[in-house]
């Protein structure tokens, strides 16, 4: 089993947007809202250790259907949710996102697909200095898991934050954590990740 090394890591916070998190929003995920304090711990820990923080934003358009298979599964998304230019794509206030953080807009569950994420990972700490993604955010069983699998296929180590990801159900959360831990990475709790970040900052 590989060791977690903060000096070659980034924190990837997936889709913690107002339309996914806030009460009454189109894609509300109560577990993600409940776990904002744990995610904030990781964001603060990463900053303290000079580990880059990357936020993804799932974005849809009014002018045309940029994700037709996604909207065929959830027709509500044809007219509302995560609209470009709306407050719904903004990162929730509780995570203290800053202009100095990095942002990746995506149109598929997998944050690598047709985005600049891999380019960012290969340069943000110097040329190919990043080999580990700490993944937090929502939905655990959709965008977080899709991105974790895609990272693994690209030979990135995956540190999946079990306490700082939010699913639509406890069953879905458990299923993803089981699959990740068996095949695609390490499921780590906040204490383990924060200890790794602290060790890396020394």
């Amino acid at each position: 089993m590989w060791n977690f090394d903060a000096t070659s890591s980034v924190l990837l916070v997936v889709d913690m947007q107002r339309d996914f998190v806030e009460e009454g929003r189109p894609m509300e995920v109560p577990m993600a809202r409940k776990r904002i304090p744990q995610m904030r711990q990781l964001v603060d820990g990463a900053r303290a250790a000079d580990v880059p923080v990357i936020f993804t934003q799932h974005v849809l358009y009014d002018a045309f259907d940029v994700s037709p298979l996604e909207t065929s599964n959830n027709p509500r998304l044809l007219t509302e949710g995560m609209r470009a230019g709306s407050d719904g794509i903004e990162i929730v206030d509780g995570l203290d996102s800053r202009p100095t953080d990095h942002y990746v807009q995506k149109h598929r569950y997998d944050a690598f697909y047709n985005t600049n994420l891999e380019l960012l990972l290969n340069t943000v700490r110097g040329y190919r200095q990043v080999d580990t993604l700490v993944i937090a955010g929502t939905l655990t069983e959709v965008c977080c898991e899709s991105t974790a699998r895609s990272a693994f296929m690209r030979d990135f180590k995956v540190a999946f934050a079990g306490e700082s990801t939010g699913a639509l159900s406890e069953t879905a959360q458990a299923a993803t954590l089981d699959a990740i831990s068996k095949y695609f990475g390490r499921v780590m709790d906040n204490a383990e990740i924060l200890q790794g970040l602290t060790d890396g900052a020394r």
Side-chain angles (χ1 to χ4, degrees):
M1 177 64 71
W2 52 262
N3 293 321
F4 174 65
D5 183 355
T7 64
S8 59
S9 299
V10 302
L11 173 62
L12 185 67
V13 183
V14 177
D15 294 0
M16 285 297 290
Q17 302 158 240
R18 295 180 67 180
D19 272 355
F20 276 109
V21 179
E22 293 179 348
E23 190 171 359
R25 291 281 186 158
M27 295 293 288
E28 179 187 358
V29 185
M31 189 187 296
R33 183 169 60 249
K34 179 181 177 182
R35 294 185 172 190
I36 287 174
Q38 290 93 327
M39 297 181 200
R40 177 64 180 271
Q41 280 186 326
L42 297 185
V43 171
D44 291 345
R47 290 198 176 119
D50 291 323
V51 169
V53 179
I54 303 172
F55 291 96
T56 73
Q57 296 168 289
H58 198 72
V59 178
L60 302 177
Y61 300 133
D62 284 325
F64 68 99
D65 186 3
V66 71
S67 188
L69 295 181
E70 180 182 10
T71 56
S72 71
N73 289 330
N74 187 353
R76 184 180 184 184
L77 294 177
L78 286 167
T79 56
E80 61 179 325
M82 295 90 71
R83 260 27 198 196
S86 74
D87 67 359
I89 67 169
E90 295 173 358
I91 305 301
V92 291
D93 290 341
L95 294 181
D96 189 31
S97 60
R98 302 176 183 179
T100 50
D101 297 322
H102 306 277
Y103 298 85
V104 172
Q105 290 198 352
K106 65 186 184 66
H107 310 294
R108 297 292 187 273
Y109 302 144
D110 173 7
F112 284 93
Y113 184 79
N114 280 348
T115 73
N116 66 338
L117 177 57
E118 191 164 10
L119 175 66
L120 187 57
L121 295 176
N122 284 335
T123 55
V124 70
R125 302 199 74 163
Y127 181 58
R128 294 187 177 171
Q129 294 303 300
V130 171
D131 66 7
T132 303
L133 270 65
V134 180
I135 296 178
T138 198
L139 278 162
T140 304
E141 70 274 37
V142 185
C143 294
C144 294
E145 181 171 343
S146 296
T147 301
R149 289 171 179 248
S150 193
F152 175 84
M153 301 304 178
R154 289 169 168 80
D155 293 321
F156 289 101
K157 303 169 187 174
V158 173
F160 202 88
E163 295 176 309
S164 295
T165 44
L168 281 175
S169 69
E170 293 291 348
T171 300
Q173 182 80 10
T176 289
L177 298 187
D178 182 61
I180 295 294
S181 64
K182 286 181 177 176
Y183 303 110
F184 302 106
R186 290 180 60 187
V187 174
M188 302 177 70
D189 60 30
N190 271 26
E192 290 178 286
I193 295 170
L194 291 169
Q195 184 62 56
L197 293 173
T198 300
D199 291 344
R202 290 174 183 167

